[in-house]
Amino acid sequence: ERESQYDFVIVGGGTSGLVVANRLSEMSDVTVAVIEAGDSVLNNSNVTSVTGYGRSFGTAIDWQYQTEDQKYAGGSKQIMRAGKAIGGTSTINGMSYTRAQNVQIDSWESLGNKGWNWQSLFPYYMKSEGFQVPTQDQISFGADYYSDYHGEHGPMKVGWPKFLTNSTVLPALDESFNHLGVPYNRDVNGGLMVGLTSHPNTIDSEANVRHDAARAYYWPYQSRPNLKIISNTHANKIIWGNDSDGDAVAIGVEVNNINGKQIIHASKEVILSAGSLKSPALLELSGIGNPDILNKYDIPVKVNISTVGENLQDQTNNGLSYEGKEFWLGSPTFSALPSADQLYGESFYTIASNVNSSLADYAETIANSSNGALKASNLLAVFQVQWDLIFRSKVPFAEIVFLPIAHTFSVEYWPLLPFSRGSIHIKSADPSEPAAINPNYFMFEQDLTTQSDVAWYIRKVFGTRPLADLVGDERSPGLEHVPENASDSTWNSWVKANYRSNFHPVGTASMLPRNKGGVVNTDLKVYGTKNVRVIDASVLPYQLCGHLTSTLYAMAERASDLIKRRYTF
Ligand code: FDA
């Protein structure tokens, strides 16, 4: 049995993990190993192609995690996709680059995460970004930006695809949304996201290939002698040494690969970056979690944190489509991000007050469904913040993605801030066994209604000229399935029969004070440990209005600086 030793051992060479690996290995006197279950996808055309979204789904580089039966959503299971490759989920995702609403990041701090706010994160969005200024040609097709919002020197290339959709679409969308009170937003990446926009993607515009975490943060740096990727290798659990000052001390990670089991030793830290559907399971397998769960599988309790794996939050995605009256070429990057008042008009106040009076019930229901792992009072505090964001700060309420391609104009959409909460927990002490993943989609009637309301609104958008003139019949759902004046229950049935995961799971190892249900502190260190961190989508305490990678890159950049500060003095 071979053994190896590094200063830092990072589990998961994905979106967040490779940022940390890159930045820590800038310290030439430390060694960094990354344990990654997948392999290189540098030359995988399902990955590199900028028009290949979806092509890698169901292939060997897709974990395709299966959920438990979704009892509030019609009963069936869902597939939650995630990348299994050097580069992680950034190698299979939709490449949209949108950040978050500024007040949303500020609310992390108001909930007790000192130092984490929009102002402190913004420089790290810039640091990670290699913005490619659009060409005159791209600008004439709708690419737009404020240079103050963008960093041009970071590793992650951000820009527009080489071939953008016909220039007639955006003005038509703009005029229609103007009639509906939704403004045009030239650049959603400065912290104010509401409006219609043509956002950039994580793409190398020049080479016209996807820019994923590996292309940005690993391959150009692969020759660093102190940085090693151990690929095709599955991490099983953390190995512990003797406690120090009452805190658990990690000394390495047990892994499994073609050579069998071995331990990769860590003399400084173990950092979990395996994604929000894996990092909490790794914590449980290592003895950090809810004793009720660990005891079931005879795993000795190292640190009692009952909220590990709780707070799972995803969004739900449905699609509509219309017959196109034009023929569209090129890659569309158009999204509308209406706020709740824009979407609901006069019913806004009634909905705001109905939701407000339900918050305590939501908190109670979720606390009960977690068997007491979550406290209702902690959930309520988060829900109040969420309510404030939606109904007072009026952050974007839904994202509507417009996809005019060839002869079809389709749309995908998802409400951004659902109230449902689920969990992910191990079902066995065997690390190769899948975990129980339960997002509890549509746990609350309100989330289901919202999903239907946004579909209804999209119909209204497509009925508004001049957009209405660009399309013919509605193909999906189609008036024969959901008639013009369909009841709520007809819409709801359509939603449940056709929805999918939006693939944005977060929250399963939340950054929050320990007494408020947190798993990691503001250094992203796991409570009760000396040297274990989680740095990936698990630590986002709740959902964001942007797509996730931009914020994960920024967060991993900032976390890397926090770690480096500890080791460079
Ligand atoms: P990530 O999944 O990137 O990394 C985890 C890594 O750990 C993986 O490489 C995995 O193989 C590895 N791993 C897991 N368990 C392991 C173990 N036991 N041992 C060793 N290695 C292990 N975001 C966005 O910004 N724009 C978009 O357009 C989209 N679109 C989109 C589409 C689809 C289909 C998906 C699935 C997701 C998106 N997203 C997105 C979301 C975004 O891509 C996602 O949230 C992040 O990439 C997640 O980054 P993490 O660092 O959390 O995990």
Side-chain angles (χ1 to χ4, degrees):
E1 201 169 302
R2 217 166 35 86
E3 293 206 345
S4 15
Q5 170 114 24
Y6 300 86
D7 291 310
F8 293 92
V9 174
I10 299 169
V11 176
T15 310
S16 315
L18 290 181
V19 177
V20 181
N22 178 307
R23 296 305 182 189
L24 294 185
S25 62
E26 287 178 339
M27 299 184 285
S28 55
D29 55 338
V30 306
T31 54
V32 178
V34 180
I35 301 163
E36 170 53 48
D39 205 341
S40 166
V41 290
L42 192 56
N43 299 311
N44 181 332
S45 61
N46 291 340
V47 171
T48 53
S49 163
V50 295
T51 54
Y53 180 63
R55 272 209 250 157
S56 50
F57 293 1
T59 70
I61 68 164
D62 177 5
W63 284 95
Q64 45 187 325
Y65 299 116
Q66 202 171 46
T67 69
E68 303 293 288
D69 294 343
Q70 289 307 287
K71 65 175 170 184
Y72 305 102
S76 58
K77 295 182 194 302
Q78 287 285 324
I79 302 284
M80 298 183 80
R81 306 200 182 280
K84 184 182 187 178
I86 300 176
T89 304
S90 72
T91 69
I92 70 164
N93 74 8
M95 300 184 289
S96 301
Y97 184 89
T98 66
R99 293 171 178 169
Q101 184 91 355
N102 49 16
V103 288
Q104 196 156 45
I105 305 294
D106 288 342
S107 72
W108 293 356
E109 185 157 60
S110 62
L111 275 168
N113 295 308
K114 198 162 180 292
W116 289 94
N117 54 50
W118 178 255
Q119 211 193 330
S120 69
L121 199 60
F122 192 71
Y124 291 101
Y125 283 112
M126 306 271 275
K127 183 179 185 187
S128 66
E129 184 184 17
F131 185 68
Q132 304 153 103
V133 174
T135 61
Q136 270 317 314
D137 202 37
Q138 287 173 314
I139 290 172
S140 70
F141 278 76
D144 207 349
Y145 67 103
Y146 289 115
S147 50
D148 286 357
Y149 299 170
H150 297 279
E152 290 183 23
H153 307 294
M156 175 50 62
K157 292 192 174 163
V158 172
W160 282 266
K162 202 160 196 163
F163 304 104
L164 286 155
T165 307
N166 314 20
S167 58
T168 50
V169 177
L170 193 56
L173 283 169
D174 184 27
E175 215 181 312
S176 294
F177 272 110
N178 244 308
H179 293 312
L180 298 168
V182 178
Y184 183 62
N185 189 338
R186 285 182 61 185
D187 190 339
V188 292
N189 283 317
L192 298 174
M193 299 187 69
V194 169
L196 170 73
T197 201
S198 169
H199 62 74
N201 285 354
T202 46
I203 192 174
D204 181 336
S205 300
E206 200 44 40
N208 209 36
V209 298
R210 170 195 296 272
H211 221 227
D212 54 55
R215 248 171 220 279
Y217 282 94
Y218 177 64
W219 294 115
Y221 306 89
Q222 59 174 313
S223 61
R224 279 186 194 163
N226 61 337
L227 171 60
K228 164 110 176 136
I229 292 215
I230 305 169
S231 56
N232 295 302
T233 299
H234 192 269
N236 289 343
K237 59 178 175 186
I238 296 167
I239 303 297
W240 303 106
N242 296 325
D243 288 6
S244 152
D245 308 324
D247 284 335
V249 178
I251 56 165
V253 175
E254 181 192 284
V255 303
N256 201 7
N257 61 23
I258 197 162
N259 304 315
K261 264 188 204 167
Q262 68 178 97
I263 291 170
I264 311 290
H265 288 272
S267 52
K268 290 193 165 68
E269 300 201 0
V270 169
I271 296 166
L272 301 182
S273 300
S276 45
L277 301 176
K278 263 295 171 82
S279 291
L282 283 163
L283 287 174
E284 290 182 341
L285 291 163
S286 311
I288 300 182
N290 183 349
D292 291 343
I293 293 167
L294 305 188
N295 290 339
K296 256 195 257 177
Y297 308 110
D298 293 325
I299 297 172
V301 179
K302 196 75 193 167
V303 187
N304 174 348
I305 307 178
S306 68
T307 52
V308 168
E310 299 294 332
N311 271 317
L312 171 58
Q313 298 159 61
D314 190 13
Q315 298 147 330
T316 44
N317 183 307
N318 279 89
L320 289 85
S321 77
Y322 292 83
E323 183 195 319
K325 287 198 175 157
E326 295 187 355
F327 184 80
W328 294 293
L329 278 168
S331 306
T333 63
F334 315 126
S335 284
L337 295 150
S339 56
D341 55 322
Q342 292 167 354
L343 203 137
Y344 282 117
E346 284 174 1
S347 346
F348 172 76
Y349 293 100
T350 318
I351 290 165
S353 102
N354 287 347
V355 172
N356 201 14
S357 57
S358 308
L359 297 178
D361 277 349
Y362 297 165
E364 200 66 46
T365 305
I366 293 164
N368 289 339
S369 88
S370 77
N371 292 319
L374 292 166
K375 282 209 191 92
S377 56
N378 287 333
L379 284 158
L380 185 57
V382 172
F383 282 152
Q384 270 153 352
V385 167
Q386 189 172 327
W387 187 92
D388 275 354
L389 289 170
I390 298 171
F391 296 105
R392 211 168 260 149
S393 306
K394 300 184 180 134
V395 305
F397 186 64
E399 176 161 351
I400 305 168
V401 176
F402 294 95
L403 302 163
I405 295 170
H407 284 298
T408 306
F409 204 137
S410 10
V411 179
E412 284 186 5
Y413 74 91
W414 54 96
L416 289 158
L417 302 172
F419 289 91
S420 303
R421 298 289 189 269
S423 63
I424 173 233
H425 292 297
I426 52 168
K427 284 194 284 196
S428 160
D430 177 351
S432 67
E433 287 292 318
I437 299 174
N438 182 9
N440 277 328
Y441 294 123
F442 306 130
M443 181 175 200
F444 301 115
E445 186 73 23
Q446 178 61 34
D447 288 346
L448 182 60
T449 310
T450 300
Q451 191 81 11
S452 295
D453 292 346
V454 179
W456 172 88
Y457 176 77
I458 291 168
R459 218 178 228 183
K460 187 161 115 182
V461 173
F462 276 89
T464 304
R465 296 178 67 190
L467 181 62
D469 299 331
L470 291 184
V471 298
D473 289 346
E474 182 183 287
R475 288 194 181 134
S476 172
L479 294 175
E480 67 282 19
H481 294 118
V482 181
E484 199 73 67
N485 291 314
S487 65
D488 290 353
S489 82
T490 304
W491 275 112
N492 290 352
S493 312
W494 171 77
V495 159
K496 286 201 264 187
N498 295 285
Y499 85 102
R500 65 165 171 81
S501 162
N502 198 47
F503 311 133
H504 286 178
V506 302
T508 52
S510 293
M511 171 175 71
L512 281 173
R514 193 170 183 175
N515 62 8
K516 290 189 178 166
V519 174
V520 300
N521 70 11
T522 51
D523 292 328
L524 307 189
K525 197 158 83 176
V526 178
Y527 291 112
T529 74
K530 197 105 211 158
N531 62 347
V532 177
R533 292 180 214 256
V534 180
I535 307 181
D536 61 23
S538 318
V539 302
L540 302 181
Y542 36 83
Q543 202 53 256
L544 298 174
C545 293
H547 292 244
L548 298 176
T549 59
S550 53
T551 300
L552 294 175
Y553 292 130
M555 171 182 240
E557 287 278 13
R558 184 165 190 270
S560 301
D561 262 6
L562 296 174
I563 299 171
K564 281 165 102 169
R565 225 163 280 163
R566 244 205 101 203
Y567 291 96
T568 44
F569 293 104

